């Protein structure tokens, strides 16, 4: 079965994540499409600021800053939906839920609309919008300054917002996970937001798609096994898995 553009884009990003840099010819051979088709895909990905082309080779852009929200939302969409389904099955009706920032959390929010009687707090405008078709979910959203590129709030007012609540389940993502199991983010505000959400939750659920594993980002705080549940599409390193087992962190592979 032939892949559409969205599926090929996901595959191109995954291949570049795994291999560092590849040529258009190498990508065409791996995906069994023409070089002309790959070059058209690469133009679209370049326009979306996802890749860089240089000296006949293609690689992902540097990770000093995350890419814009809408291009990011198209990457690994099927993975994120599998993660969201697993998270949906963790959350009972009537639970109190905190939703952090990021595209994977937005997917989780959309899968929660069939639940009854949820109370949701969030600093993620995309996640709140994903809940709009439910008539039985009560939502409180953080105030403060809006980060326009992602439509979320991660300033001081947003952090103070979470201190008012006691939540059953906090669902959040991160920028990356290092090879040693350290949880990484792009800037200190994102780290602070993760800490604020963690502090109000009984059960902390971290969602991680496979492209984030192995990223070495600027900011770090805590280890993967400091969360209660990790839902991931990645094959985690044996040492990380052992750390999770030692610390009673449940890993759900999807």
């Amino acid at each position: 079965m032939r892949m559409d553009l969205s599926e090929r884009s996901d595959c191109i990003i995954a291949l570049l994540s795994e291999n560092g840099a590849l040529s258009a010819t190498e990508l065409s051979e791996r995906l069994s499409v023409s070089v002309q088709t790959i070059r058209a895909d690469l133009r679209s990905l370049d326009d979306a600021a996802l890749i860089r082309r240089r000296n006949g080779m293609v690689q992902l852009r540097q990770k000093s800053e995350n890419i814009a929200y809408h291009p990011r939302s198209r990457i690994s969409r099927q993975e994120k939906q599998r993660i969201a389904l697993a998270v949906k099955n963790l959350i009972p009706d009537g639970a109190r839920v905190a939703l952090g920032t990021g595209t994977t959390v937005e997917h989780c929010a959309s899968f929660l609309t069939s639940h009854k009687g949820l109370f949701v707090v969030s600093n993620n405008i995309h996640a709140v919008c994903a809940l709009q078709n439910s008539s039985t979910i009560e939502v409180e959203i953080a105030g403060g300054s809006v980060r326009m590129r992602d439509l979320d709030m991660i300033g001081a007012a947003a952090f103070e917002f979470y201190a008012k609540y006691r939540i059953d389940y906090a669902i959040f993502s991160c920028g990356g996970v290092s090879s040693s199991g350290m949880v990484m983010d792009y800037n200190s505000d994102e780290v602070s937001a993760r800490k604020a959400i963690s502090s109000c939750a009984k059960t902390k659920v971290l969602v991680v798609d496979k492209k984030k594993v192995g990223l070495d980002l600027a900011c770090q705080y805590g280890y993967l096994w400091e969360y209660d549940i990790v839902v991931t599409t990645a094959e985690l390193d044996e040492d990380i898995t052992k750390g999770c087992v030692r610390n009673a962190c449940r890993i759900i592979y999807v």
Side-chain angles (χ1 to χ4, degrees), residues 132-243:
Q132 66 182 320
N133 293 324
S134 173
S135 60
T136 68
I137 297 178
E138 181 181 352
V139 179
E140 296 279 343
I141 190 168
S145 300
V146 178
R147 185 169 60 164
M148 295 303 292
R149 71 189 299 273
D150 282 5
L151 287 184
D152 57 26
M153 287 76 78
I154 57 172
F159 307 155
E160 293 170 3
F161 164 80
Y162 283 107
K164 299 185 295 184
Y165 299 101
R166 185 58 178 160
I167 297 301
D168 299 314
Y169 297 89
I171 303 164
F172 34 49
S173 62
C174 60
V177 177
S178 75
S179 58
S180 65
M182 181 72 74
V183 180
M184 318 290 285
D185 280 297
Y186 290 88
N187 57 64
S188 58
D189 278 343
E190 290 174 335
V191 170
S192 297
R194 189 155 44 85
K195 290 167 66 177
I197 299 171
S198 295
S199 66
C200 75
K202 297 177 184 176
T203 302
K204 300 181 287 293
V205 182
L206 186 69
V207 292
V208 183
D209 64 72
K210 65 184 178 184
K211 72 179 181 63
K212 294 183 177 180
V213 175
L215 289 183
D216 184 17
L217 303 181
C219 298
Q220 59 185 29
Y221 177 76
Y223 287 90
L224 203 69
W225 48 80
E226 294 174 9
Y227 296 86
D228 299 294
I229 301 172
V230 175
V231 183
T232 185
T233 54
E235 290 294 330
L236 298 176
D237 182 87
E238 183 179 356
D239 288 339
I240 295 177
T241 302
K242 288 179 178 178

Side-chain angles (χ1 to χ4, degrees), residues 9 19 25 27 30 34 55 58 66 82 95-96 99 133-134 141-142 152 173 175 202 211 213 215 240:
S9 295
N19 296 277
T25 299
L27 288 167
R30 297 195 186 204
S34 69
N55 300 324
V58 185
N66 207 351
R82 297 204 307 272
R96 301 187 300 271
L99 297 173
N133 293 324
S134 173
I141 190 168
D152 57 26
S173 62
K202 297 177 184 176
K211 72 179 181 63
V213 175
L215 289 183
I240 295 177

